[in-house]
C-alpha cells in the first residue's frame, strides 16, 4: 500500500493561474524549482523595505504546511550500521538479526544502510536487483522487512537496495509501517556521478536511473522525508520536505573515504540547522577489502545542528532518543521560518503546486 499524495493534507487556492503557467514553463525539473522574485542591476540598489512589509510565506509556493502534531513525542531510533558481503542470503539474515536486536532494545524506528543487500558497484546492481512491486520471492529483502515490521511492531526504513522495474534499475528505499505494509518507496533522485582525479570516480548512472519524486511519508513515528546518500547534498529537497511538515529527514548513505571525512557530518548538520529538523543517516560499515570503501559514521543530528549520537566505522547499532517537543522550542528561539525574505527569493514545490 503506497502512501497517499500529500495534497489531501491541505487544500490550497492560488489567486493567479499565470504563476502556475510561468513556473511550469521555466522549470526544467518535475518536482522543484527555485526562482528569484526580483533581480536588481548593480547600478540600481534595491528599494528599502520595512520588516513588516516582508512576507515570509511568499518564500515558499505553495506556502509551508504547519508541522503536524506527531503521533508520539518521544521514541527510540536505531541506526544499524551493517557489514555487507557478496552473499545476499547472508546480508538478509544479518539485517534480520540487527532489526531484532534494535527492537529488543526499545527502538520504534529502525533504519538500514544504503545498498545493504549487495556490494556497492555497478557490476553488482543488475545481479542483486529485486522486483519490489512483485514482492515475495521476487524481492526477498523487502519481504523480510515487511515480515519483521509486522511481527515486531516497528517502523522500518529499509536503507536501500537495487530495484528492477521493467528494463530499468533504481537505488530504492522502502518504508514499512507496523502493519507490515509498504508505506512509501523512494528512488534516489540525484545519482552519484563524480570524478575526483586521483581519489575516486563513480558513475552511478551507468546502470541506475534517477527517481523523479520527493518522498515524504506519515508513519507511526511522525512525518519522515526520505533521501538516499547523494540526495543530502541538495538543500532544496530538504527545504521542500520541511515545507511539507516533516519532523525527521532520513538519509541512508554510503559516503566514501574521500568525501566522507570532509562532508558527511557537515551536510547532516547543515540540513538539520537550515530546516530546524531532525536528520539521521545510516551507512554500511567500512570494509577495506571491498571495491567501494564506505566512510561509516552513522549519525543522528538534532534541530540545532547538534550531533546527538554517532559511531565510528565498524559495524554497530546506534540507539538514541528523538524528542519532537524540542522542534517548536528551537523554532521559537531562532524564528527563521518567520524571517524569510519572501519578497527576494522563493522555493517552488511544483509537485504540490500542480496537485492543488
Amino acid at each position: 500500500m503506497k502512501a497517499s499524495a500529500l495534497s489531501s493534507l491541505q487544500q490550497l487556492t492560488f489567486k493567479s493561474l499565470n504563476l502556475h503557467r510561468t513556473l511550469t514553463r521555466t522549470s526544467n525539473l518535475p518536482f522543484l524549482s527555485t526562482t528569484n522574485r526580483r533581480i536588481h542591476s548593480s547600478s540600481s540598489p534595491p528599494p528599502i523595505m520595512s520588516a513588516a512589509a516582508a512576507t515570509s510565506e511568499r518564500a515558499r509556493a505553495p506556502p509551508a504546511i504547519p508541522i503536524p502534531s506527531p503521533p508520539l513525542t518521544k521514541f527510540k531510533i536505531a541506526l544499524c550500521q551493517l557489514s555487507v558481503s557478496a552473499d545476499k542470503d547472508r546480508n538478509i539474515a544479518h539485517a534480520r538479526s540487527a532489526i531484532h536486536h534494535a527492537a529488543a532494545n526499545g527502538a520504534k524506528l529502525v533504519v538500514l544502510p544504503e545498498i545493504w543487500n549487495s556490494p556497492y558497484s555497478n557490476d553488482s546492481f543488475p545481479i542483486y536487483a529485486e522486483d519490489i512491486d512483485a514482492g515475495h520471492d521476487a524481492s526477498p529483502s523487502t519481504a523480510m522487512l515487511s515480515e519483521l515490521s509486522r511481527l515486531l511492531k516497528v517502523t522500518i526504513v529499509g536503507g536501500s537496495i537495487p530495484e528492477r522495474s521493467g528494463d530499468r534499475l533504481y537505488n530504492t528505499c522502502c518504508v514499512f509501517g507496523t502493519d507490515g505494509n509498504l508505506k512509501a518507496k523512494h528512488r534516489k533522485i540525484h545519482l552519484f556521478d563524480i570524478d575526483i582525479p586521483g581519489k575516486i570516480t563513480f558513475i552511478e548512472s551507468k546502470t541506475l536511473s534517477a527517481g523523479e519524486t520527493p518522498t515524504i511519508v506519515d508513519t507511526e513515528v511522525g512525518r519522515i522525508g526520505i533521501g538516499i546518500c547523494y540526495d543530502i547534498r541538495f538543500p532544496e529537497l530538504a527545504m521542500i520536505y520541511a515545507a511539507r511538515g516533516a519532523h525527521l529527514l532520513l538519509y541512508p548513505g554510503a559516503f566514501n573515504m574521500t568525501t566522507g571525512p570532509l562532508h558527511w557530518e557537515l551536510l547532516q548538520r547543515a540540513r538539520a540547522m537550515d530546516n530546524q529538523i531532525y536528520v539521521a543517516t545510516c551507512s554500511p560499515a567500512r570494509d577495506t577489502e571491498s571495491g567501494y570503501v564506505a566512510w561509516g559514521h552513522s549519525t543522528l543530528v538534532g534541530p540545532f545542528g547538534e550531533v546527538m549520537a554517532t559511531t565510528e566505522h565498524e559495524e554497530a547499532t546506534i540507539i538514541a532518543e528523538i524528542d519532537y517537543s524540542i522542534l517548536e522550542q528551537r523554532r521559537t528561539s531562532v524564528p527563521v521560518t518567520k524571517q524569510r525574505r519572501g519578497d527576494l527569493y522563493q522555493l517552488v514545490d511544483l509537485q504540490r503546486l500542480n496537485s492543488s
Side-chain angles (χ1 to χ4, degrees), residues 2-327:
K2 279 197 172 183
S4 60
L6 271 182
S7 58
S8 62
L9 295 173
Q10 185 181 52
Q11 296 298 321
L12 298 172
T13 303
F14 296 92
K15 295 181 179 179
S16 172
L17 289 176
N18 289 331
L19 169 64
H20 175 275
R21 297 190 186 103
T22 300
L23 294 174
T24 304
R25 284 198 304 269
T26 56
S27 172
N28 292 321
L29 295 175
F31 57 91
L32 62 88
S33 172
T34 54
T35 63
N36 193 347
R37 297 281 294 180
R38 183 179 297 131
I39 301 175
H40 302 283
S41 67
S42 57
S43 60
S44 176
I48 297 173
M49 175 172 284
S50 67
T55 305
S56 64
E57 283 205 5
R58 287 167 55 195
R60 301 182 191 272
I65 295 171
I67 190 167
S69 297
L72 72 176
T73 302
K74 293 182 181 180
F75 65 94
K76 289 182 179 178
I77 182 175
L79 308 175
C80 301
Q81 184 166 289
L82 303 176
S83 61
V84 179
S85 73
D87 185 336
K88 182 192 271 193
D89 290 340
R90 178 265 179 199
N91 293 333
I92 293 173
H94 195 50
R96 176 188 291 271
S97 177
I99 295 168
H100 270 287
H101 171 76
N105 283 274
K108 295 298 182 184
L109 172 61
V110 181
V111 187
L112 299 185
E114 181 185 23
I115 306 294
W116 58 268
N117 70 344
S118 160
Y120 190 92
S121 73
N122 280 314
D123 291 338
S124 298
F125 296 151
I127 298 171
Y128 289 76
E130 300 181 5
D131 186 341
I132 295 172
D133 291 339
H136 304 292
D137 292 342
S139 185
S141 300
T142 59
M144 180 273 290
L145 299 180
S146 174
E147 176 193 5
L148 287 195
S149 62
R150 177 178 55 83
L151 291 176
L152 301 176
K153 302 301 179 188
V154 295
T155 298
I156 297 177
V157 175
S160 76
I161 64 171
E163 178 197 11
R164 185 179 299 281
S165 180
D167 59 355
R168 294 192 172 192
L169 298 177
Y170 298 94
N171 186 342
T172 301
C173 174
C174 292
V175 181
F176 291 90
T178 57
D179 56 3
N181 287 332
L182 178 64
K183 296 182 74 70
K185 186 171 72 171
H186 177 78
R187 290 169 170 167
K188 189 174 186 177
I189 293 173
H190 306 92
L191 295 182
F192 181 60
D193 289 0
I194 68 163
D195 181 12
I196 303 176
K199 297 290 186 179
I200 182 172
T201 298
F202 200 99
I203 308 299
E204 211 170 31
S205 62
K206 282 184 177 179
T207 54
L208 300 179
S209 297
E212 298 293 338
T213 308
T215 304
I216 189 164
V217 54
D218 285 314
T219 74
E220 292 83 355
V221 292
R223 186 170 295 173
I224 301 174
I226 304 292
I228 299 174
C229 200
Y230 204 57
D231 285 340
I232 199 173
R233 288 189 177 273
F234 300 87
E236 299 90 344
L237 182 62
M239 291 174 70
I240 280 180
Y241 287 154
R244 295 186 187 185
H247 301 102
L248 167 67
L249 305 184
L250 291 179
Y251 295 93
F255 267 48
N256 54 76
M257 298 298 292
T258 299
T259 59
L262 289 171
H263 301 154
W264 179 240
E265 181 182 303
L266 175 66
L267 285 164
Q268 296 170 63
R269 296 182 69 189
R271 299 294 83 82
M273 183 184 67
D274 286 348
N275 298 287
Q276 297 176 317
I277 202 169
Y278 279 98
V279 170
T281 57
C282 190
S283 169
R286 189 179 306 171
D287 179 3
T288 56
E289 301 300 317
S290 67
Y292 182 92
V293 182
W295 171 241
H297 295 264
S298 301
T299 302
L300 172 66
V301 179
F304 247 22
E306 71 276 31
V307 174
M308 302 185 71
T310 190
T311 188
E312 296 294 325
H313 62 272
E314 302 91 351
E315 183 168 270
T317 294
I318 299 171
I319 297 179
E321 185 176 79
I322 286 178
D323 182 357
Y324 287 144
S325 68
I326 71 171
L327 291 176

